[in-house]
Amino acid sequence: MADTIRVLIVDDIPETRDHLTKLLGFESDMEVVGSAASGAEAIELATKFSPDVVLMDINMPDMDGITATERMATAAPMSSVVMMSVQGEADYLRRSMLAGAREFLVKPFSSDELNASIRQVYARERDKQSRMAPVAAPQQTSAGGGQNPYRAPGIVLAVFSPKGGVGRTTLAVNLAVAVATDLGKKVVLVDGSFQFGDVGVLLNLNPKNKSIAELLPELEAGEPESLETFVITHSAGIRVLLAPPTPETAELITPVAIRKIIETLRHESDVVIIDCGAYFNDTTLAILDMADTILTMLSLEITSIKNMRLFLEVADQLGYEKGKVRLVLNRADTALGIRVQDVEQSIGRKVNDTIVSDGRSVVYALNRGVPFYLSNRDAQVSQDILRLAKAVVGERTQVADAEDTAKSSTKKSLFAWR
Ligand SMILES: Nc1ncnc2c1ncn2[C@@H]1O[C@H](COP(=O)(O)OP(=O)(O)OP(=O)(O)O)[C@@H](O)[C@H]1O
Ligand SMILES: [Mg+2]
């Protein structure tokens, strides 16, 4: 790595600061630009040195790490915070993310974990900066690694929910089929629930040696030429990249790896749909960062609504535009005392799409391993998914189609997706 990552260490315990300074001293691509003993000093040094990464202790006597991180957003906006805590609780993680931290390390951590976190955060930020460059040159001319240079990248749809079991996999699978069969798009579905992925079950797919796990060694070696060998073609007309067969492998999937995968797949397809895990970690964040649209699912349950409110705050902190996050209410008619209007009032936003509850079609299809969009195309639940597909993919296509016709261009693959 040619760049040097400039790091500021913040911890009130002198031994911890020394230890971290020594550890990072062994890394040729990192430089410790300063160390601070308090939140106030951290802000002062960050303003002065503008470090790439700030390693921030969460518990400090004068100003805690969360408050310091919040202030850092204005004092040193180019610095990314990695929060360190002895507590790994979800509440700490969430509060850190809300404050603007990009990573969360639970003490004690190994030097490998520390170095990997710093490099990931740095790479992610650099990637984001380059994507936010004012003149985003179309990638058609620069694409390498076997990607078709004349093909505009496809759109990336992340199906996410801040709470599990609300129907992400159901939506991801059936949406993929709807976009492929009814909108005629080249679709690839990625099971991003790396630990306990269910996409293979819903599609009745279980081939050996074909999952993201086999792809990892190839990614280590550099940019993959194509992912064709690892992707399965399903009879429903979609291509699928499955999650690893065992949960342990999930830990090996880094944000850098998933970013490379999505980037390659979007050059090979019109639409990349990712069924994400229901929790925040660096890989989920990498996917959400890359997504053009995040289909954020919720149900009419108080816990789902509460988590959604928190997620929307985090999304705001992460700088996602409002239009990037689309709210999808699943099982919309099982209103056990909560109305859609109540939900909207509670989260302060309109629900964009609703999907009806249809246990019969959904569970029957699940148990047979056939997407209900194929077996029960006329059911309301399928129609709801088609409406959503048209809203997120179809409309853009129509705009692009219209522009294309106007220009009498024959290069259909150069659609302006974004
Ligand atoms: N619209 C619907 N109508 C009826 N049942 C549904 C609907 N959507 C999902 N379900 C059911 O809800 C359950 C959870 O769905 P699914 O597995 O898609 O959720 P998930 O968010 O992917 O869960 P996990 O967190 O386990 O990954 C399943 O039993 C599914 O059949
Ligand atoms: Mg799932």
Side-chain angles (χ1 to χ4, degrees):
M1 194 182 289
D3 296 345
T4 300
I5 310 174
R6 302 170 65 255
V7 183
L8 173 68
I9 294 168
V10 188
D11 202 303
D12 58 320
I13 302 171
E15 292 78 30
T16 311
R17 293 199 300 274
D18 291 348
H19 180 59
L20 289 170
T21 308
K22 272 197 201 106
L23 281 182
L24 298 183
F26 290 119
E27 304 306 311
S28 57
D29 58 337
M30 295 186 204
E31 180 198 351
V32 176
V33 293
S35 70
S38 67
E41 198 187 348
I43 292 169
E44 196 186 312
L45 293 185
T47 315
K48 193 165 158 195
F49 296 124
S50 196
D52 297 310
V53 175
V54 180
L55 274 180
M56 178 84 79
D57 185 31
I58 204 163
N59 281 318
M60 289 182 292
D62 72 326
M63 180 195 291
D64 65 30
I66 291 180
T67 313
T69 302
E70 275 168 0
R71 304 224 175 134
M72 201 76 84
T74 40
M78 303 307 274
S79 305
S80 304
V81 173
V82 174
M83 195 68 88
M84 304 181 289
S85 165
V86 276
Q87 283 105 336
E89 292 128 42
D91 186 48
Y92 266 71
L93 170 71
R94 197 152 41 211
R95 285 175 55 213
S96 302
M97 289 298 186
L98 283 174
R102 306 307 308 263
E103 262 278 12
F104 192 83
L105 278 172
V106 180
K107 291 178 183 174
F109 42 78
S110 68
S111 65
D112 281 352
E113 283 171 316
L114 172 68
N115 296 335
S117 297
I118 293 175
R119 290 192 183 108
Q120 279 162 15
V121 164
Y122 175 70
R124 192 157 67 214
E125 197 53 34
R126 205 179 40 175
D127 181 52
K128 197 165 161 187
Q129 297 298 338
S130 67
R131 280 188 286 128
M132 276 164 30
V135 189
Q139 299 182 21
Q140 301 133 7
T141 49
S142 60
Q147 292 156 357
N148 180 351
Y150 299 107
R151 186 173 215 297
I155 56 167
V156 178
L157 305 177
V159 182
F160 175 75
S161 68
K163 183 178 182 298
V166 299
R168 297 185 315 283
T169 309
T170 305
L171 173 64
V173 165
N174 288 282
L175 181 68
V177 177
V179 173
T181 51
D182 276 74
L183 305 182
K185 298 287 153 201
K186 202 173 170 195
V187 180
V188 61
L189 173 64
V190 179
D191 193 341
S193 241
F194 300 122
Q195 240 177 339
F196 299 105
D198 290 332
V199 167
V201 179
L202 263 72
L203 289 169
N204 203 11
L205 287 173
N206 192 18
K208 284 212 162 55
N209 309 326
K210 278 219 170 192
S211 84
I212 199 166
E214 283 71 38
L215 176 54
L216 293 175
E218 186 130 334
L219 288 174
E220 294 271 300
E223 296 287 327
E225 279 282 303
S226 154
L227 303 189
E228 215 43 64
T229 4
F230 309 97
V231 172
I232 305 159
T233 302
H234 187 268
S235 54
I238 58 172
R239 290 152 72 240
V240 187
L241 181 59
L242 289 177
T246 55
E248 311 86 76
T249 321
E251 287 174 22
L252 305 175
I253 303 165
T254 62
V256 175
I258 192 66
R259 220 177 284 122
K260 278 187 194 170
I261 292 170
I262 296 174
E263 200 50 46
T264 309
L265 289 177
R266 78 192 311 197
H267 280 87
E268 297 179 355
S269 342
D270 299 323
V271 184
V272 181
I273 298 177
I274 305 151
D275 176 17
C276 300
Y279 39 78
F280 271 130
N281 61 8
D282 49 2
T283 33
T284 307
L285 260 164
I287 297 171
L288 299 183
D289 273 357
M290 286 196 85
D292 295 297
T293 304
I294 304 171
L295 300 172
T296 321
M297 299 197 75
L298 79 162
S299 59
L300 287 171
E301 284 168 39
I302 206 82
T303 43
S304 170
I305 295 162
K306 182 204 81 175
N307 287 10
M308 179 59 75
R309 213 171 33 219
L310 289 168
F311 170 69
L312 291 175
E313 286 175 30
V314 173
D316 223 29
Q317 293 281 340
L318 291 172
Y320 296 164
E321 295 163 20
K322 269 232 161 60
K324 170 165 173 161
V325 178
R326 207 173 163 103
L327 296 194
V328 183
L329 178 66
N330 193 21
R331 314 193 70 166
D333 57 350
T334 51
L336 299 167
I338 308 178
R339 295 170 312 159
V340 179
Q341 297 93 295
D342 299 332
V343 178
E344 291 177 333
Q345 199 162 27
S346 167
I347 56 181
R349 260 190 72 160
K350 282 263 172 219
V351 164
N352 299 91
D353 311 277
T354 53
I355 298 171
V356 78
S357 183
D358 181 356
R360 244 183 94 82
S361 306
V362 175
V363 181
Y364 181 66
L366 168 79
N367 291 339
R368 282 198 328 164
V370 178
F372 58 78
Y373 195 86
L374 285 182
S375 58
N376 206 350
R377 169 79 172 67
D378 295 330
Q380 184 59 46
V381 65
S382 300
Q383 291 305 306
D384 287 348
I385 287 185
L386 178 59
R387 190 165 20 87
L388 172 56
K390 284 181 178 164
V392 288
V393 177
E395 277 169 15
R396 293 177 205 239
T397 314
Q398 280 156 18
V399 172
D401 276 342
E403 282 175 3
D404 228 45
T405 315
K407 288 179 197 158
S408 306
S409 166
T410 51
K411 285 184 186 166
K412 282 218 160 197
S413 56
L414 294 178
F415 282 172
W417 288 105
R418 297 192 298 147

